[in-house]
Amino acid sequence: MSEPTTRSGAASGGTGPPRSTRPRHGSPRARLLTRVRSWLPSLLLVSPSILLLGVFVYGMIGWNTRLALSDQHRPIDEGSFVGLDNFVALWQEARWPAAVNNAIVFTVVFVGGALLLGWLLGLLLDKGIRGEPVFRTLFLAPMAVSFIATGVVWRWLMNPAPAERATGLNALFVQFNLDFLVNTWWTAPDFGMAAMALPAIWQLSGYVMALFLAGFRGVPEELREAARVDGCSEWGVYWHVVMPQLRPVTLSAVIIIGHMSLKVFDLIIAIAGQQIVADVPAVYMWSTVFEVRDPAKGATIASYLLVAVAVFVIPYLVWTMRKERSEGR
């Protein structure tokens, strides 16, 4: 008869043992502790990378933006806030619009040429030619070469000397009596930047080829066979069945090589140096910062380059995140 009394006393908190302070399963506090235990080790693991990324990437972007919005046109000046004056004044100079135009021409020719050549090479390998591993290695080999080394070699190949003093490609044209093909290459005022894109196309077309080849091999053979059964020609199979499946690959290739072309520097320096005829924003920024010693203008040019790259990269990231979410559903 005394047991109920004891239990009642324990329930009322009189003489029974103290209630456990452990959070009950399913309570908000327990769910919070479970979440912390799940993501805290991962957070501690990547925290050094996050810290370095925040300081040396986003921190440097913030510092560069602050400098671009100031009037610190000499390294010894303190500089004060001037807003967008530097961004507007840059377009009043003759060199900046010319450099932007050169970059646009280089980007269009480079991206278009690399896509076309990479697609053709991927198509040939997809058809199962003999010795495919050897050709695939040869096409990818230029990627192992730096832009500086590529520029040094192609500077000799595209030597603008006339026929009597020709070297490189011009000498080859003269030897085979193709003198009408001899030209001034990157020094030509009308198509110089288009010629400057040839070394970049040679170096990156193998990478684009690898992307397209993976896309070709990823298309199910059942879709191709179904198209052939319906009377579609082999070219029609690629145009109506395979190519629509390669849109994500094409977009990825455009984003990757497009942002590389906008900030190209070492290839231009290796081939043309600081010649005005081959001037691009990255070269202009380098000369402004290290020769003219104008940090505010150099930071302004860097900000323009950041915006240009962001125009390529951010839409791609948004599209990728939306696609992953839709596929996750």
Side-chain angles (χ1 to χ4, degrees), residues 16 52-53 149 179 185 192 264 276-277 296 300:
L52 294 175
L53 185 68
D179 297 42
W185 298 107
V264 63
I276 296 297
V277 68
T300 303

Side-chain angles (χ1 to χ4, degrees), residues 63-64 67-68 70-77 86 89-90 93 284-302:
W63 178 83
N64 181 86
L67 188 59
S70 70
D71 60 352
Q72 187 178 346
H73 295 290
R74 293 190 302 171
I76 60 175
D77 293 340
N86 294 328
L90 195 60
E93 301 181 7
Y284 188 15
M285 179 188 67
W286 186 86
S287 63
T288 299
V289 174
F290 295 103
E291 294 182 355
V292 182
R293 308 286 289 176
D294 189 338
K297 184 188 290 187
T300 303
I301 299 174

Side-chain angles (χ1 to χ4, degrees), residues 129-205:
I129 63 175
R130 183 175 298 178
E132 176 189 335
V134 176
F135 284 105
R136 189 169 61 240
T137 303
L138 290 176
F139 296 152
L140 284 172
M143 281 196 61
V145 183
S146 66
F147 265 138
I148 289 291
T150 299
V152 171
V153 174
W154 277 84
R155 179 172 184 171
W156 177 82
L157 290 174
M158 297 192 302
N159 192 312
E164 61 274 8
R165 297 186 291 106
T167 60
L169 294 177
N170 283 350
L172 185 65
F173 296 151
V174 171
Q175 184 176 356
F176 286 95
N177 296 321
L178 300 174
D179 297 42
F180 64 95
L181 293 178
V182 175
N183 59 83
T184 55
W185 298 107
W186 55 270
T187 60
D190 47 356
F191 62 88
M193 290 308 297
M196 187 71 74
L198 293 179
I201 294 174
W202 172 81
Q203 185 162 2
L204 270 299
S205 59

Side-chain angles (χ1 to χ4, degrees), residues 52-137:
L52 294 175
L53 185 68
V55 173
F56 293 103
V57 176
Y58 298 104
M60 293 297 102
I61 290 176
W63 178 83
N64 181 86
T65 303
R66 182 194 64 81
L67 188 59
L69 298 175
S70 70
D71 60 352
Q72 187 178 346
H73 295 290
R74 293 190 302 171
I76 60 175
D77 293 340
E78 288 293 333
S80 58
F81 180 78
V82 294
L84 300 176
D85 290 353
N86 294 328
F87 292 87
V88 176
L90 195 60
W91 290 95
Q92 309 302 321
E93 301 181 7
R95 183 177 176 181
W96 173 248
V100 172
N101 181 72
N102 288 341
I104 293 175
V105 174
F106 180 88
T107 298
V108 171
V109 177
F110 172 38
V111 173
L115 284 178
L116 179 60
L117 184 57
W119 182 83
L120 289 174
L121 295 176
L123 179 63
L124 291 175
L125 294 181
D126 184 58
K127 302 303 291 183
I129 63 175
R130 183 175 298 178
E132 176 189 335
V134 176
F135 284 105
R136 189 169 61 240
T137 303

